[in-house]
């Protein structure tokens, strides 16, 4: 078994749609990024690559490459998992914590879990997504952006 950890943060931008966990959430500022800035997909991708010691997202999908401008980050997550599977590992389980003051994510969590599970070829029961606020502290507390932490386990294919 392998364990991987991933972290991501993005700054809010009112002129972009908010995409998290592969789901577009209406009524909230979006996030700044070269791709669709889906911080859940990015943290999960880094956790999966990390568990297999395959580097990080920046190595495989560099933000200097116009090919990834506006990219669907769930597709990048799928592609990273395919690399890991090629190396003999497959996702067993993922646990994600989103840290944001807003928006409220609970109405969207099951849709995110379903979308991510489909992209990874696992049961939605293998994907956990939890949301926390930062109790008003720091950049998250001031509403400047959000952060995501992810832990995954891989098992042999
Ligand atoms: Mg990111």
């Amino acid at each position: 078994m392998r364990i991987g950890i991933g972290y991501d943060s993005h700054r809010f931008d009112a002129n972009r749609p908010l995409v998290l966990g592969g789901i577009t959430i209406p009524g909230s500022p979006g996030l700044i990024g070269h791709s669709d800035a889906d911080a859940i997909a990015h943290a999960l991708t880094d956790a999966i690559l990390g568990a297999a010691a395959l580097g990080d997202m920046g190595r495989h999908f560099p933000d200097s490459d116009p090919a990834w401008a506006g990219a669907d980050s769930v597709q990048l997550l799928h592609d990273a998992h395919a690399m890991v599977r090629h190396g003999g590992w497959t996702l067993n389980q993922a646990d994600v914590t989103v840290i944001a003051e807003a928006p409220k994510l609970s109405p969207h969590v099951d849709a995110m879990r379903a979308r991510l599970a489909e992209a990874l070829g696992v049961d939605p029961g293998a994907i956990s997504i939890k949301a926390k606020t930062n109790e008003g502290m720091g950049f998250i507390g001031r509403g400047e952006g959000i952060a995501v932490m992810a832990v995954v386990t891989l098992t042999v294919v």
Side-chain angles (χ1 to χ4, degrees):
M1 188 186 81
R2 293 288 191 93
I3 297 172
I5 184 169
Y7 171 84
D8 196 29
S9 61
H10 282 262
R11 188 182 288 272
F12 281 119
D13 177 351
N15 297 314
R16 287 173 59 106
L18 179 61
V19 180
L20 277 177
I23 301 298
T24 301
I25 298 173
S28 170
L31 298 168
I32 297 173
H34 184 65
S35 65
D36 62 9
D38 184 337
I40 291 180
H42 293 180
L44 264 177
T45 299
D46 262 358
I48 288 172
L49 291 171
L54 286 176
D56 60 22
M57 271 200 86
R59 175 171 145 196
H60 297 283
F61 313 107
D63 63 9
S64 55
D65 186 338
W68 312 122
D72 175 357
S73 297
V74 172
Q75 181 64 46
L76 306 185
L77 173 65
H78 171 273
D79 293 351
H81 188 226
M83 288 176 214
V84 164
R85 285 186 62 90
H86 187 71
W89 298 98
T90 191
L91 181 76
N92 179 57
Q93 163 257 343
D95 188 19
V96 173
T97 298
V98 181
I99 310 161
E101 299 297 325
K104 196 161 184 58
L105 295 182
S106 54
H108 308 286
V109 159
D110 284 345
M112 294 177 189
R113 294 170 63 218
R115 174 99 204 272
L116 296 170
E118 183 183 20
L120 294 164
V122 299
D123 189 274
I127 309 290
S128 160
I129 300 176
K130 313 183 301 297
K132 306 278 290 182
T133 74
N134 217 32
E135 299 287 346
M137 296 181 287
F139 77 88
I140 294 170
R142 291 189 295 272
E144 294 171 12
I146 74 168
V148 180
M149 299 187 294
V151 175
V152 304
T153 54
L154 306 182
T155 49
V156 174
V157 171

